[in-house]
Amino acid sequence: MALSVDKTSGGREYKVKDMSQADFGRLEIDLAEVEMPGLMACRTEFGPSQPFKGAKITGSLHMTIQTAVLIETLTALGAEVRWCSCNIFSTQDHAAAVIARDSASVFAWKGETLQEYWWCTEKSLDWGSGGGPDLIVDDGGDVTMLIHEGVKAEEAYEKTGKVPDPTSSDNAEFQIVLTIIKDGLAANPKKYTKMKERLVGVSEETTTGVKRLYQMQANGTLLFPAINVNDSVTKSKGCASALKQAGARVIVTEIDPICALQALMEGLQVLTLEDVLPTADIFVTTTGNKDIIMVDHMKKMKNNAIVCNIGHFDNEIDMLGLENHPGVKRITIKPQTDRWVFPDTKTGIIVLAEGRLMNLGCATGHPSFVMSCSFTNQVIAQLELWKEKSSGKYEKKVYVLPKHLDEKVAALHLGKLGAKLTKLTKDQADYISVPIEGPYKPPHYRSSRVYVIDTQKNPKAPSLYKVVQPEDIIKKTGLAYLHTSHCLASGDIMISCLGDKDGNAEGSGFLLLDSEFNIKGR
Ligand SMILES: NC(=O)c1ccc[n+]([C@@H]2O[C@H](COP(=O)([O-])OP(=O)(O)OC[C@H]3O[C@@H](n4cnc5c(N)ncnc54)[C@H](O)[C@@H]3O)[C@@H](O)[C@H]2O)c1
């Protein structure tokens, strides 16, 4: 596509594939709204007071029909919005068209090149001479990362006159990011610094983005407050059980003994990738980690095994290794479905969405109802950040939404499913020490919260959820060293692997602690 900005007759900027699909987009939005009760309830409750009046929101999140309902909720609450997708394949072109026509500036189309993707990302941040956005809705953290890298480059440029060197990275996509920052420096050497100063905060949608935020918090480099929407309990997950329910025999690979135990308890087998290479029909990566399925693995798979990813980026599957494998042949069956044939065996594998999110690249993401829960959390997070913009309540840290708001999101979705809640009596409420109107569970209560025990005392440790220093537990339990941990549905913490103070394993064992780290059992 020629990279130039288009304008509606009313002057709103956009770049989408095909404006003639806007009416089709509107028909689908009308259907989705019925399935998104949380977002529609936000419009009814907050719309009249226009809480986002004056707020400029930039979003980087799959430009689907469900996202269109999120965008129109933000605008119904008074916000001005600019949007791009967070994935080159995930845009539904009719959704982009209708939003560009009716509601917000959109820069997104299905099948962007990486160059185009970053152009769109830059445009979503381009609020003209007034500077950047007030708020960001991010999914995977690309917009947050661009601003952080931009500020870093501008500070270095001011001090030393040095510009970023794209060849300093061997990652093709990061080279593009460094190039756009470098190209912008001479014309506007304070672009990202000004943006950072204006920004009230970001709400982040997914595990990978949240991981990046916690890493920045630990390094002390996070430039603005962040709300982690991913770990709201009402955000749903569960690819393995969905496949099982669809009749598949599901085998899970895991590195974490507790997740492995959970999978086993759900009746799933746990093996290594190597164990199943010759037998599995479909391989789905979803670790948020890199180098999970390498080209040597792919060569050992059965003919036409399907290889795909639903983790965030394209580095779980070794696409580079596959492309560079001598003699390998790529046959495109249809867009986002390629058969790769190995020269020696003449057998092939089928890779979906070029190793990127296949549920958005080859399908249309999660159902509206599922997205309603997580997007309602997004709206509430954005409202909270905007409301507290001058109060100092939120520092340059990562926060999760408080329990009562999570419960509110759940409550907004119950009616649609025909549920009726039981009301506590005053007597019962007193007996279990909770208020009649909630919150009903302690903040740490959720079914799969991970407490990362930072045994290495490494500030860059993957502090996914709550970092617990080993000393705190040692003090309470009298035990020298504890390794991995997991918070159970009850709120108790299960610890595996006991060892000595220097990190030498003493042997495997399980220990059950309550949320205050008191020992409940071994
Ligand atoms: N496609 C989508 O619609 C969608 C939706 C939500 C999340 N995501 C993405 O999916 C990814 C996973 O998210 P999550 O919330 O399930 O994270 P999670 O941390 O709960 O689950 C990932 C699991 O992978 C395991 N793991 C890590 N390295 C491994 C390895 N080498 N081999 C085997 N297992 C390994 C971890 O122990 C963990 O249990 C993230 O990148 C997230 O951004 C995608």
Side-chain angles (χ1 to χ4, degrees), residues 117-126 146 180 191-192:
Y117 172 83
W118 284 100
W119 179 86
C120 290
T121 304
E122 264 197 304
K123 287 289 162 241
S124 74
L125 281 169
D126 181 5
L146 177 62
I180 59 175
K191 173 172 156 179
Y192 293 104

Side-chain angles (χ1 to χ4, degrees), residues 246-261:
R249 195 181 136 220
V250 180
I251 298 175
V252 170
T253 70
E254 249 306 340
I255 51 156
D256 178 339
I258 293 169
C259 293
L261 188 60

